[in-house]
Amino acid sequence: MRLKDRVAIVTGSTRGIGEAIARAFAHEGARVVIVGRDQVRAARVAEDIANHGGRAVAITADVSRLEDAQHLVKQTLETWGKVDILVNNAGITRDNLLLRMTEAEWDEVLAVNLKGAFNCTKSVVRPMMKQRQGRIINITSVVGQMGNAGQANYAASKAGLIGFTRSVARELASRHITCNAIAPGYIETDMTATLEAGVREALQKQIPLNRLGCVDDVAGVAVFLASDAAAYITGQVINVDGGMVMA
Ligand code: NDP
């Protein structure tokens, strides 16, 4: 029970990587807040965690809206009295080559992936500062490190998250709040389900461990970063990518 009685907000936990992180946190004894725009899915995940002996509540929020993020934190404090861990995981893609990319595609991706992390972190910082402890984990991507044709918006949002992570880490270190990022490579989720077979094969060739990742590969690292074992780690980006990026 590495996270016994901690309270964790995991954004974008109605499916995919976020859901796996929420389930892993609950398994380690944390009380988790399931967050997404889809109320039915959020409730279903929270209920399923409870059915397996965990503790979870569902709160509907669109992280791109500051008032939703503030409401999310307020509700969490009303329910459980504290927030120990925030995982900024909610993310979207709107892929297009730059020549064809619309302003709306650029704005939507930046609003969810980057501003969403700002909104949730800003909302959670005051209670964490009062507690004089906290863990913030941002889910970035190898694409934010390498770039990717057709993903200028997504890559910019994920690279932005890395700068955000390091700045927040420096600002909050004196309050014993750590801020780190996880950079997954290609992970099997709804987001990557649409990859064509040829593209998938070509991708796999670039991965030294020769497979796409699974959601639990990422969840395990999130548990570690949220646990006491990671108390002396802040401002870092940990790649979970089968060796795609070796810096
Ligand atoms: P999915 O598309 O499977 O899930 C995305 C999650 O984000 C859903 O729970 C969705 O819930 C939520 N979400 C989307 N928009 C919002 C919003 N505006 N407000 C609140 N929640 C939102 O994605 P993955 O699990 O694949 O990805 C999770 C994170 O990991 C993302 O940040 C992604 O960029 C990153 N990542 C993924 C990789 C991969 O290969 N899959 C690789 C590298 C990084 P709902 O629809 O209910 O709002």
Side-chain angles (χ1 to χ4, degrees):
M1 287 277 178
R2 285 179 285 174
L3 304 177
K4 196 169 179 346
D5 294 330
R6 308 277 164 81
V7 174
I9 296 175
V10 184
T11 70
S13 45
T14 56
R15 55 196 150 87
I17 293 170
E19 179 182 351
I21 292 173
R23 286 182 186 277
F25 280 8
H27 186 72
E28 294 289 342
R31 292 167 274 176
V32 289
V33 182
I34 306 300
V35 187
R37 294 158 305 170
D38 184 335
Q39 194 174 355
V40 176
R41 270 194 101 105
R44 203 180 301 150
V45 173
E47 209 179 293
D48 197 52
I49 288 174
N51 287 341
H52 286 83
R55 288 172 293 175
V57 292
I59 299 178
T60 314
D62 177 344
V63 296
S64 68
R65 296 160 50 94
L66 180 60
E67 57 272 34
D68 278 23
Q70 288 167 335
H71 178 253
L72 166 66
V73 173
K74 191 165 169 269
Q75 286 264 101
T76 304
L77 291 171
E78 279 170 16
T79 310
W80 279 321
K82 61 173 187 163
V83 189
D84 301 300
I85 304 158
L86 167 68
V87 183
N88 287 308
N89 165 81
I92 58 167
T93 51
R94 296 285 182 272
D95 297 353
N96 221 336
L97 293 172
L98 188 59
L99 266 179
R100 294 200 203 113
M101 189 174 287
T102 64
E103 189 183 6
E105 286 167 343
W106 175 270
D107 286 345
E108 273 177 54
V109 168
L110 270 289
V112 177
N113 298 8
L114 188 54
K115 192 176 167 214
F118 163 78
N119 288 341
C120 294
T121 307
K122 190 171 164 58
S123 304
V124 94
V125 138
R126 213 177 287 277
M128 278 188 182
M129 282 172 81
K130 271 195 204 149
Q131 290 164 209
R132 294 189 68 79
Q133 58 122 358
R135 294 292 160 90
I136 299 164
I137 301 167
N138 298 319
I139 308 300
T140 175
S141 166
V142 290
V143 168
Q145 300 167 318
M146 302 162 62
N148 198 18
Q151 289 198 308
N153 50 359
Y154 183 78
S157 73
K158 294 299 185 180
L161 263 183
I162 294 175
F164 179 70
T165 299
R166 292 179 174 147
S167 303
V168 171
R170 287 185 187 278
E171 275 189 39
L172 301 179
S174 63
R175 307 296 180 113
H176 307 288
I177 298 167
T178 66
C179 183
N180 292 289
I182 298 175
Y186 287 89
I187 308 295
E188 304 270 12
T189 68
D190 289 354
M191 197 177 262
T192 46
T194 51
L195 289 174
E196 285 164 24
V199 177
R200 185 177 282 261
E201 249 171 59
L203 274 174
Q204 204 159 319
K205 284 202 183 110
Q206 298 172 38
I207 305 172
L209 285 175
N210 199 32
R211 66 167 173 89
L212 267 66
C214 66
V215 291
D216 288 332
D217 290 324
V218 182
V221 177
V223 168
F224 165 68
L225 285 174
S227 76
D228 290 343
Y232 199 53
I233 300 176
T234 197
Q236 304 304 310
V237 182
I238 300 189
N239 280 60
V240 182
D241 62 1
M244 268 183 94
V245 175
M246 296 190 190

